[in-house]
Coordinates of all heavy atoms in Angstrom, one line a residue:
R80 N 38.9 -3.8 -45.1 CA 37.4 -3.7 -45.3 C 36.7 -3.8 -43.9 O 35.8 -3.1 -43.7 CB 36.9 -4.7 -46.3 CG 37.3 -4.4 -47.7 CD 36.6 -5.3 -48.7 NE 36.9 -6.7 -48.6 CZ 37.9 -7.3 -49.2 NH1 38.7 -6.6 -50.0 NH2 38.2 -8.6 -49.0
Q81 N 37.2 -4.7 -43.1 CA 36.6 -4.9 -41.8 C 36.7 -3.6 -40.9 O 35.8 -3.2 -40.2 CB 37.2 -6.1 -41.0 CG 36.8 -7.4 -41.6 CD 37.5 -8.5 -40.9 OE1 37.7 -8.5 -39.6 NE2 37.8 -9.6 -41.6
V82 N 37.9 -3.0 -41.0 CA 38.2 -1.8 -40.2 C 37.2 -0.7 -40.7 O 36.7 0.1 -39.9 CB 39.7 -1.3 -40.4 CG1 39.9 0.1 -39.9 CG2 40.5 -2.3 -39.6
E83 N 37.1 -0.5 -42.1 CA 36.2 0.5 -42.6 C 34.8 0.2 -42.2 O 34.1 1.2 -41.8 CB 36.3 0.5 -44.1 CG 37.6 1.0 -44.7 CD 37.7 0.8 -46.2 OE1 36.7 0.4 -46.9 OE2 38.8 1.0 -46.7
L84 N 34.3 -1.0 -42.2 CA 32.9 -1.3 -41.8 C 32.7 -1.0 -40.3 O 31.7 -0.4 -39.9 CB 32.6 -2.8 -42.1 CG 31.3 -3.3 -41.7 CD1 30.2 -2.6 -42.6 CD2 31.2 -4.8 -41.9
L85 N 33.7 -1.5 -39.5 CA 33.5 -1.2 -38.1 C 33.6 0.3 -37.8 O 32.9 0.8 -36.9 CB 34.6 -1.9 -37.3 CG 34.5 -3.5 -37.3 CD1 35.7 -4.1 -36.6 CD2 33.2 -3.9 -36.5
S86 N 34.4 1.0 -38.5 CA 34.5 2.5 -38.3 C 33.1 3.1 -38.6 O 32.7 4.0 -37.9 CB 35.6 3.1 -39.2 OG 36.8 2.6 -38.8
M87 N 32.5 2.7 -39.7 CA 31.2 3.3 -40.1 C 30.2 2.9 -39.1 O 29.4 3.8 -38.7 CB 30.8 2.7 -41.5 CG 31.6 3.3 -42.6 SD 31.0 2.9 -44.3 CE 31.2 1.2 -44.3
K88 N 30.2 1.7 -38.6 CA 29.2 1.3 -37.5 C 29.4 2.1 -36.3 O 28.5 2.6 -35.7 CB 29.3 -0.2 -37.2 CG 28.8 -1.1 -38.3 CD 28.9 -2.6 -37.8 CE 28.2 -3.5 -38.8 NZ 28.3 -4.9 -38.4
L89 N 30.7 2.3 -35.9 CA 31.0 3.1 -34.7 C 30.5 4.5 -34.9 O 30.0 5.1 -33.9 CB 32.4 3.0 -34.3 CG 32.9 3.5 -33.0 CD1 32.1 2.9 -31.9 CD2 34.4 3.3 -32.8
A90 N 30.8 5.1 -36.0 CA 30.4 6.4 -36.3 C 28.9 6.6 -36.3 O 28.4 7.6 -35.8 CB 30.9 6.9 -37.7
A91 N 28.2 5.6 -36.7 CA 26.7 5.6 -36.7 C 26.2 5.6 -35.3 O 25.2 6.2 -34.9 CB 26.1 4.5 -37.5
V92 N 26.8 4.8 -34.4 CA 26.4 4.7 -33.0 C 26.8 5.9 -32.2 O 26.0 6.4 -31.4 CB 27.1 3.4 -32.4 CG1 26.8 3.4 -30.9 CG2 26.5 2.1 -33.1
S93 N 27.9 6.4 -32.5 CA 28.4 7.6 -31.8 C 28.8 8.7 -32.8 O 29.9 9.0 -33.0 CB 29.6 7.3 -30.9 OG 29.4 6.3 -30.0
P94 N 27.8 9.4 -33.3 CA 28.0 10.4 -34.3 C 28.8 11.6 -33.7 O 29.4 12.4 -34.4 CB 26.7 10.9 -34.8 CG 25.7 10.4 -33.8 CD 26.4 9.2 -33.1
R95 N 28.8 11.8 -32.4 CA 29.5 12.9 -31.8 C 31.0 12.8 -31.8 O 31.7 13.8 -31.8 CB 29.0 13.1 -30.3 CG 27.6 13.6 -30.2 CD 27.1 13.5 -28.7 NE 26.8 12.1 -28.5 CZ 26.9 11.5 -27.3 NH1 27.2 12.2 -26.2 NH2 26.6 10.3 -27.1
L96 N 31.4 11.5 -31.9 CA 32.9 11.3 -32.0 C 33.4 11.4 -33.4 O 32.7 11.0 -34.3 CB 33.2 9.9 -31.4 CG 32.9 9.6 -30.0 CD1 33.1 8.1 -29.7 CD2 33.7 10.5 -29.1
D97 N 34.5 12.1 -33.6 CA 35.1 12.3 -34.9 C 36.2 11.3 -35.1 O 37.2 11.4 -34.4 CB 35.5 13.7 -35.1 CG 36.1 14.0 -36.5 OD1 35.7 13.2 -37.4 OD2 36.9 14.9 -36.6
F98 N 36.1 10.3 -36.0 CA 37.1 9.4 -36.2 C 37.8 9.7 -37.5 O 37.2 9.8 -38.6 CB 36.5 7.9 -36.3 CG 36.0 7.5 -34.9 CD1 34.7 7.5 -34.7 CD2 36.9 7.0 -34.0 CE1 34.2 7.0 -33.5 CE2 36.4 6.5 -32.8 CZ 35.1 6.6 -32.5

Side-chain angles (χ1 to χ4, degrees):
R80 287 190 296 273
Q81 288 179 36
V82 167
E83 289 171 12
L84 181 65
L85 290 172
S86 296
M87 289 189 296
K88 284 183 178 182
L89 189 57
V92 171
S93 300
R95 290 172 283 154
L96 299 175
D97 182 23
F98 292 100

